[in-house]
């Protein structure tokens, strides 16, 4: 299987060339186009109960599609929002994704749900996070560009910008500065991440866009 | 006491090192007398001695243990709950002090995490229960603001389906309605006389009689009522018949059908908010709406209809105790849920107890017997005119109007004669 992320970073999509016997799993609705030789099987995203949990708390779709072919074919996967798509190869490692970021994975990857904590919820990052582990490639998307950062010690990320992080990263919510600067400086709550480990951030925030749009309407 | 088994134990974890492509990899971690060994899936090994091992705790779970060398160029990490205990024993006490601190921190974080998680679960449970009762309350509160014409249109829309449902339950291909005025009009008058004592006296009820042996009656939204022949055959007094009709009329005047639909819509909207993409659930929702509009009623609705029926009888000067007698004489056993009057939920004993309680609480008044010719109605049913299309063929293969007794198949006539 060959996969290429095209049209980066604004309107990224994945072009996948499937060979005989190759498989790729993508969230429902991610397929933009495909060869007629490709078969699609739809199933619950980790069992009925698990799918509902992932939908409600992980922001994922209720169903996932598995694409296979007996010969060969081309498949294009995309995400609903404009922005970049990142591919990571898991080698027995784990990655946490923020709700809604997951796009596709190879069959060796396991999808689970991890408790993120009340502090994460208060900071607008969700009570749960999607946990991907195992061996194989995963693709996740974001609004805007995606950039990685190796964190050693503490690092501050504005809420809504954190997309993915390794399990070795600890997260806590806090104010950007003092009470005055936090509330009047426009930063409010921030995510304080502590390494060692790698985090992935998005260059734009959907919450920020929503707030800006609301401001234009009213 | 040192447990040698720990030296053979393996823990799932990982390694951070610049020597690995990408800087990190998952690893199996083992311990020997000197230090930690991390074995990668490609066979590469990393070693960190206990003497240069600096321990830290952190990670997303707050319980991940990091073993790092002095210049932090190598980190071996693990989240396994038994890892610190194994490390304590394998290191022979060298890391004891730091491990105790780490264990204490881990316990604190674990406790805080559990507190948060269980708090979340309790919150979810409260939200679900509150949401459910909110939906019920919302549906009840909204119904009085919906014009009754909506009930009538709904009743019109589900009428054919209701007849099909009745036919399916009785195993017949099609329900035969008894359109003979000698049968229908006395029942219509009975209902009209009682309707003036209902909560909505302006509702025009329309009585239909179907030729079905099951003792039952069904009310559709808007005021259409289907009375089964079996019910007329079963009752011992006209008052018992009126008690059943009062119960069904109450479903209409209390607008239970619309409430059920409101509850179904509430559940679908709640699911839509909670789950989002409910594409497949919409079809289920449509089915729920249809079922709600037809016959499915809740336990509360049955109780309410029982009690409202009793009030109507009391107002009309008919002894409401007949409702108790009627319920007690019902055939018990497997009763289809969709058959409303015979509905097995709530339990018959429960319904009788609730009615008895209300009857005892009602102000005393003199009741008079119901002026209704039940035997005359039964005779009219037996001798009713069967339309030509429903009559059996004669010797020449033609059909003509006959009375109901003559329209019966030969085997039924024979059985009746034997019974006599």
């Amino acid at each position: 299987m060959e996969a290429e992320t095209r049209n980066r970073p604004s309107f990224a999509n994945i072009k996948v060339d499937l060979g005989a016997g190759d498989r790729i799993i993508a969230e429902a609705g991610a397929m933009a186009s495909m060869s007629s030789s490709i078969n699609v099987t739809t199933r619950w995203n980790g069992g009925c109960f698990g799918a509902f949990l992932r939908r409600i708390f992980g922001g994922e779709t209720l169903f996932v599609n598995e694409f296979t072919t007996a010969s060969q074919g081309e498949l294009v996967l995309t995400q609903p929002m404009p922005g970049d798509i990142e591919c990571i190869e898991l080698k027995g490692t784990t990655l946490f994704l923020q709700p809604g970021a997951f796009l596709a994975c190879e069959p060796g990857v396991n999808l689970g749900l991890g408790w993120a904590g009340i502090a994460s919820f208060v900071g607008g990052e969700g009570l749960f996070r999607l946990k991907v582990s195992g061996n194989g490639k995963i693709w996740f998307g974001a609004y805007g560009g995606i950039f990685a950062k190796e964190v050693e010690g503490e690092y501050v990320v504005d809420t809504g910008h954190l997309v993915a992080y390794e399990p070795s990263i600890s997260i806590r919510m806090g104010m950007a500065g003092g009470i005055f600067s936090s509330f009047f400086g426009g930063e409010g709550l921030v995510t304080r991440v502590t390494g060692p480990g790698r985090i992935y951030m998005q260059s734009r925030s959907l919450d920020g866009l929503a707030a800006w749009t609301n401001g234009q309407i009213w | 006491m040192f447990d040698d088994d720990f030296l053979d134990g393996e823990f799932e974890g990982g390694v951070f090192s610049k020597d690995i492509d990408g800087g990190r990899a998952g690893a199996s971690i083992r311990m020997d007398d000197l230090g930690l060994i991390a074995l990668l899936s490609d066979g590469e090994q990393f070693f960190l001695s206990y003497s240069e091992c600096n321990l830290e705790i952190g990670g997303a779970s707050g319980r991940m243990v990091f073993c790092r060398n002095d210049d932090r160029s190598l980190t071996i990490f693990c989240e396994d709950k038994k890892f610190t205990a194994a490390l304590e024993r394998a290191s022979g006490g060298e890391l004891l002090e730091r491990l105790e601190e780490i264990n204490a921190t881990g316990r604190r974080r674990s406790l805080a995490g559990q507190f948060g998680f269980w708090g979340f679960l309790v919150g979810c449970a409260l939200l679900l229960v509150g949401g459910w009762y909110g939906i019920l309350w919302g549906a009840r509160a909204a119904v009085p603001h919906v014009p009754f014409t909506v009930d009538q249109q709904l009743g019109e829309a589900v009428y054919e389906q209701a007849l099909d449902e009745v036919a399916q339950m009785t195993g017949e291909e099609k329900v035969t309605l008894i359109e003979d005025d000698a049968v229908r009009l006395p029942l219509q008058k009975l209902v009209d006389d009682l309707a003036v004592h209902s909560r909505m006296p302006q509702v025009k009820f329309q009585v239909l009689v179907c030729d079905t042996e099951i003792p039952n009656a069904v009310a559709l939204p808007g005021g259409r009522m289907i009375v089964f022949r079996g019910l007329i055959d079963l009752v011992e007094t006209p008052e018992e018949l009126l008690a059943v009709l009062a119960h069904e009329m109450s479903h209409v005047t209390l607008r239970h059908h619309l409430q059920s639909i409101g509850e179904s819509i509430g559940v679908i909207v709640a699911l839509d908010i909670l789950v989002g993409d409910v594409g497949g659930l919409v079809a289920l929702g449509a089915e729920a709406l249809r079922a709600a509009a037809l016959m499915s009623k809740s336990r509360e609705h049955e109780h309410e209809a029982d009690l409202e029926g009793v009030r109507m009888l009391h107002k009309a000067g008919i002894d409401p105790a007949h409702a108790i007698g009627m319920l007690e004489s019902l055939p018990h056993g497997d009763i289809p849920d969709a058959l409303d009057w015979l509905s097995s939920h709530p339990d018959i004993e429960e319904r009788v107890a609730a009615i008895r309680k209300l009857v005892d609480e009602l102000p005393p008044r003199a009741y008079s017997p119901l002026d209704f010719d039940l035997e005359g109605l039964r005779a009219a049913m037996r001798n009713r005119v069967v339309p030509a299309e429903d009559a059996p063929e004669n010797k020449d293969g033609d059909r003509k109007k006959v009375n109901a007794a003559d329209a019966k198949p030969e085997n039924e006539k024979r059985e009746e004669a034997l019974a006599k």
Side-chain angles (χ1 to χ4, degrees), chain B residues 178-212:
Chain B
I178 301 174
E179 289 170 1
D180 195 333
D181 283 349
V183 176
R184 208 179 54 76
L185 290 182
L187 283 171
Q188 182 69 52
K189 183 174 183 310
L190 196 63
V191 167
D192 289 345
D193 290 347
L194 187 62
V196 295
H197 301 288
S198 76
R199 289 191 183 198
M200 297 179 74
Q202 73 276 21
V203 174
K204 301 284 177 216
F205 287 92
Q206 185 195 356
V207 178
L208 302 165
V209 185
C210 74
D211 191 7
T212 304

Side-chain angles (χ1 to χ4, degrees), chain B residues 167-411:
Chain B
Q168 272 179 17
M169 287 166 206
T170 54
E172 293 166 357
E173 196 180 325
K174 190 183 167 200
V175 170
T176 307
L177 291 177
I178 301 174
E179 289 170 1
D180 195 333
D181 283 349
V183 176
R184 208 179 54 76
L185 290 182
L187 283 171
Q188 182 69 52
K189 183 174 183 310
L190 196 63
V191 167
D192 289 345
D193 290 347
L194 187 62
V196 295
H197 301 288
S198 76
R199 289 191 183 198
M200 297 179 74
Q202 73 276 21
V203 174
K204 301 284 177 216
F205 287 92
Q206 185 195 356
V207 178
L208 302 165
V209 185
C210 74
D211 191 7
T212 304
E213 285 180 4
I214 295 173
N216 200 11
V218 173
L220 297 181
R224 206 172 244 165
M225 292 174 63
I226 305 171
V227 181
F228 293 33
R229 173 172 59 79
L231 179 68
I232 298 166
D233 289 338
L234 176 80
V235 293
E236 288 178 3
T237 64
E239 288 83 358
E240 286 184 355
L241 178 62
L242 195 62
V244 178
L245 297 178
H247 171 97
E248 290 306 315
M249 291 163 74
S250 302
H251 279 312
V252 177
T253 56
L254 294 172
R255 306 182 76 183
H256 284 159
H257 307 89
L258 220 56
Q259 278 182 23
S260 298
I261 289 174
E263 288 161 11
S264 301
I265 290 174
V267 170
I268 291 170
V269 170
L271 274 175
D272 193 39
I273 292 169
L274 204 62
V275 181
D277 58 348
V278 286
L281 296 174
V282 169
L284 289 176
E287 178 62 22
L289 290 185
R290 191 195 61 78
L294 274 181
M295 294 170 193
S296 150
K297 294 186 197 75
S298 69
R299 200 182 166 85
E300 286 71 27
H301 286 172
E302 292 302 332
H303 265 309
E304 283 177 9
D306 277 341
L307 301 184
E308 176 61 12
V310 165
R311 282 191 204 98
M312 283 165 67
L313 292 173
H314 176 74
K315 271 190 184 176
I318 308 297
D319 186 358
H322 287 288
I324 299 169
M326 182 62 207
L327 273 173
E328 285 178 335
S329 69
L330 277 173
H332 291 241
D334 291 336
I335 298 166
D337 276 347
L339 295 181
D340 181 59
W341 167 247
L342 288 178
S343 176
S344 56
H345 63 276
D347 195 59
I348 298 285
E349 284 80 20
E350 213 178 305
R351 290 173 67 177
V352 168
I355 293 173
R356 205 183 291 280
K357 186 168 177 287
L358 179 63
V359 168
D360 291 343
E361 288 168 2
L362 287 171
R365 69 167 291 178
Y367 298 120
S368 49
L370 182 62
D371 181 18
F372 184 81
D373 184 6
L374 184 61
E375 283 310 316
L377 177 66
R378 286 172 177 159
M381 282 205 305
R382 278 194 302 274
N383 300 317
R384 73 186 184 276
V385 173
V386 176
E389 61 269 22
D390 294 335
E393 289 180 2
N394 62 19
K395 288 176 201 167
D396 303 323
D398 297 331
R399 293 172 193 271
K400 63 175 184 180
K401 287 183 178 180
V402 291
N403 71 31
D406 293 338
K408 284 185 179 176
E410 283 304 314
N411 58 343

Side-chain angles (χ1 to χ4, degrees), chain A residues 12-199:
Chain A
N13 57 85
I14 316 163
K15 177 176 167 283
V16 186
D17 290 313
L18 288 175
D22 286 344
R23 290 190 297 156
I24 187 167
I25 294 150
E27 69 167 358
M31 192 274 291
S33 64
M34 67 178 194
S35 307
S36 57
S37 57
I38 291 180
N39 301 313
V40 188
T41 314
T42 302
R43 55 179 165 83
W44 287 102
N45 189 359
C48 179
F49 184 65
F52 269 94
L53 286 184
R54 284 192 186 92
R55 173 67 213 164
I56 296 167
F57 300 117
E60 301 309 320
T61 51
L62 276 177
F63 301 95
V64 287
N65 290 325
E66 185 171 306
F67 298 89
T68 55
T69 178
S71 53
Q72 61 175 25
E74 178 191 289
L75 168 71
V76 178
L77 299 172
T78 190
Q79 60 170 347
M81 57 200 162
D84 204 0
I85 293 171
E86 184 71 38
C87 175
I88 304 287
E89 179 149 19
L90 300 177
K91 298 171 184 169
T93 48
T94 301
L95 194 69
F96 286 120
L97 299 177
Q98 292 298 72
F102 173 77
L103 186 59
C105 67
E106 289 181 332
V109 174
N110 303 312
L111 300 177
L113 206 61
W115 171 249
I118 300 292
S120 168
F121 177 70
V122 173
E125 302 284 359
L127 270 169
F128 290 82
R129 54 203 164 193
L130 196 69
K131 183 180 178 183
V132 289
S133 59
N135 289 286
K137 288 178 181 167
I138 67 146
W139 288 265
F140 60 91
Y143 174 53
I146 300 176
F147 52 98
K149 166 86 181 163
E150 287 289 345
V151 177
E152 185 68 48
E154 191 177 82
Y155 191 70
V156 178
V157 183
D158 195 8
T159 49
H161 283 271
L162 190 64
V163 179
Y165 51 96
E166 292 178 325
S168 56
I169 292 283
S170 72
I171 287 183
R172 63 190 178 86
M173 298 297 151
M175 286 191 291
I179 292 178
F180 185 84
S181 59
S182 293
F183 286 98
F184 296 101
E187 296 302 340
L189 288 172
V190 293
T191 309
R192 291 180 183 274
V193 295
T194 308
R198 186 182 292 161
I199 61 172

